[in-house]
Amino acid sequence: SSSSNPPLSSLQQCQSSDYSNTSYELANATFVMLIRNSDLDGTISSIRALEDRFNSKFGYPYVLLNNEPFTDEFKRRVSVLIRSEVQFGLIPKEHWSQPDWIDEENAAKARKQMVATNVKYGGSVSYRNMCRFNSGFFYRHELLQKYKWYWRVEPNVKFYCDINDDPFRYMEENQKVYGFTITVYEISATIRSLWSTVTDFIENHPEYIATDNAMGFISDNNGKTYNRCHFWSNFEIADMDFWRGEAYTAFFEHLDSKGGFYYERWGDAPVHSIAAALFLRRDQVHFFAEIGYQHDDWGHCPLPDDMWEKGRCSCSQKGSFDYDPSSCKPRWDKFMNSQ
Ligand code: GDP
Ligand code: MN
């Protein structure tokens, strides 16, 4: 189920663009939003901010995905905000359900225990479906097949600064694969056996481990244990061909086969992050310093004054999460400055 607006004509694009005297070539890229019909207000708010701060000048398309059909009202209220193409997609059941071979009794026991110990979303099966979908399936959706780059956007996020330079083109021109704005520690209780599962994979597939990878960012003892640092995946600008490639495909299948998305509550953030840290060179991972961004309680505000001024940012630099005790950004800096 999909419908779409006509794409921006090149004329419209020129009139509305900073690139009025040049022909600007967009990257092969799209925004991706996974949302429920009940997320309408938050979706409008995120899109409105993104259009104002960035996309009204560029005209990148959107793909909105849902495990239930979007209502006509939802499509109407969203489409009116966007002059570029918008497509609404339905997620196939096979990409959004607990596999039959998962032992439901064990899975239910784990959920119950996580509820008892107040683990966020600990009792939710739909949250687990969401994490598994974002880990291993979104980039296989038919509406995303023609795209290489994506920017993941959630409902109710904020974009604080003008984004004058095209992040997709930046990624492309600088051989980047994965881009982030915030990095944090994962909740231990959700990933009890994730690292041992990763370690098994590494032992069986040393050929996938990149030279000059970022293991030193996610492990303080050369891979013995995971320090729980991960890129916060509610914001991602990345190359879907990385997820579609041989290394990640084998990695996801290995993780999925252990059932940890349901027996525990593995998140797509640590799964993506560990893969990026191991299968990419560290210089293929990019921190978007200039993108002011807020998700729930934590946000990133550009710290260099010239950057903050150029972006006409509406955030306080003092409130930026970067050097909060819960942030992994100090570790990232230290790692990137090391040999
Ligand atoms: P958090 O960021 O980890 O707190 O989780 P969220 O509740 O924000 O969910 C992450 C993303 O998945 C958001 O884009 C949600 O809109 C989306 N999402 C979560 N659960 C569902 C669901 O059951 N159906 C759909 N269609 N989207 C969901
Ligand atoms: Mn969220």
Side-chain angles (χ1 to χ4, degrees), residues 82-307:
I82 305 170
R83 289 180 309 121
S84 48
E85 182 183 39
V86 194
Q87 291 190 287
F88 298 91
L90 182 63
I91 296 166
K93 263 264 166 330
E94 320 84 78
H95 293 181
W96 191 280
S97 33
Q98 181 171 307
D100 297 337
W101 51 264
I102 293 285
D103 178 347
E104 170 53 19
E105 209 174 305
N106 274 347
K109 216 167 91 187
R111 294 197 300 270
K112 208 170 147 194
Q113 208 203 327
M114 284 195 197
V115 171
T117 51
N118 290 318
V119 176
K120 204 176 181 191
Y121 307 115
S124 170
V125 175
S126 70
Y127 192 84
R128 288 173 170 80
N129 290 337
M130 181 276 288
C131 290
R132 181 169 175 262
F133 173 78
N134 276 325
S135 297
F137 296 96
F138 82 91
Y139 51 87
R140 304 189 211 184
H141 194 278
E142 56 163 329
L143 293 179
L144 291 175
Q145 290 316 299
K146 64 177 173 180
Y147 298 112
K148 176 178 174 67
W149 303 99
Y150 72 101
W151 179 335
R152 176 169 158 186
V153 180
E154 284 200 1
N156 284 308
V157 297
K158 290 181 186 148
F159 293 97
Y160 286 129
C161 312
D162 286 348
I163 301 167
N164 301 305
D165 301 319
D166 181 342
F168 294 123
R169 288 284 300 270
Y170 178 85
M171 297 286 287
E172 196 163 69
E173 284 159 19
N174 295 279
Q175 288 81 50
K176 303 293 183 187
V177 175
Y178 189 91
F180 71 97
T181 53
I182 292 173
T183 168
V184 302
Y185 294 94
E186 182 56 296
I187 306 164
S188 312
T190 65
I191 50 162
R192 293 282 178 220
S193 71
L194 177 59
W195 192 251
S196 62
T197 308
V198 169
T199 307
D200 284 349
F201 182 81
I202 295 172
E203 275 167 18
N204 291 321
H205 291 285
E207 73 275 19
Y208 292 140
I209 306 304
T211 44
D212 202 22
N213 59 56
M215 176 68 102
F217 170 58
I218 60 170
S219 173
D220 304 333
N221 43 30
N222 199 27
K224 201 157 157 269
T225 56
Y226 177 39
N227 63 21
R228 296 183 288 116
C229 284
H230 62 281
F231 309 119
W232 224 18
S233 63
N234 47 74
F235 172 105
E236 289 182 319
I237 298 178
D239 182 349
M240 283 185 279
D241 290 340
F242 176 57
W243 312 129
R244 292 166 181 149
E246 195 182 311
Y248 188 78
T249 300
F251 181 69
F252 175 74
E253 271 168 24
H254 175 72
L255 298 192
D256 197 34
S257 73
K258 301 297 172 187
F261 290 105
Y262 295 94
Y263 298 137
E264 297 179 10
R265 205 218 67 194
W266 294 350
D268 54 284
V271 171
H272 280 185
S273 303
I274 291 169
L278 299 182
F279 309 144
L280 296 174
R281 298 188 314 269
R282 70 168 105 180
D283 63 31
Q284 292 175 296
V285 179
H286 181 64
F287 169 62
F288 275 105
E290 74 276 22
I291 300 186
Y293 172 75
Q294 183 89 27
H295 170 275
D296 294 347
D297 294 342
W298 291 337
H300 164 71
C301 190
L303 298 180
D305 289 339
D306 55 342
M307 198 182 269

Side-chain angles (χ1 to χ4, degrees), residues 64-83:
L64 277 58
L65 299 177
N66 192 344
N67 58 309
E68 289 176 1
F70 282 110
T71 63
D72 289 341
E73 179 66 358
F74 192 101
K75 294 187 205 176
R76 191 176 84 94
R77 298 275 314 274
V78 166
S79 301
V80 75
L81 306 171
I82 305 170
R83 289 180 309 121

Side-chain angles (χ1 to χ4, degrees), residues 33 35 39-47 64 74 78 155-156:
M33 298 187 74
I35 32 194
D39 292 318
L40 179 57
D41 289 343
T43 300
I44 289 172
S45 159
S46 293
I47 292 174
L64 277 58
F74 192 101
V78 166
N156 284 308

Side-chain angles (χ1 to χ4, degrees), residues 52-63:
D52 288 347
R53 289 299 201 165
F54 169 64
N55 200 45
S56 58
K57 297 194 290 280
F58 289 85
Y60 279 102
Y62 288 74
V63 172

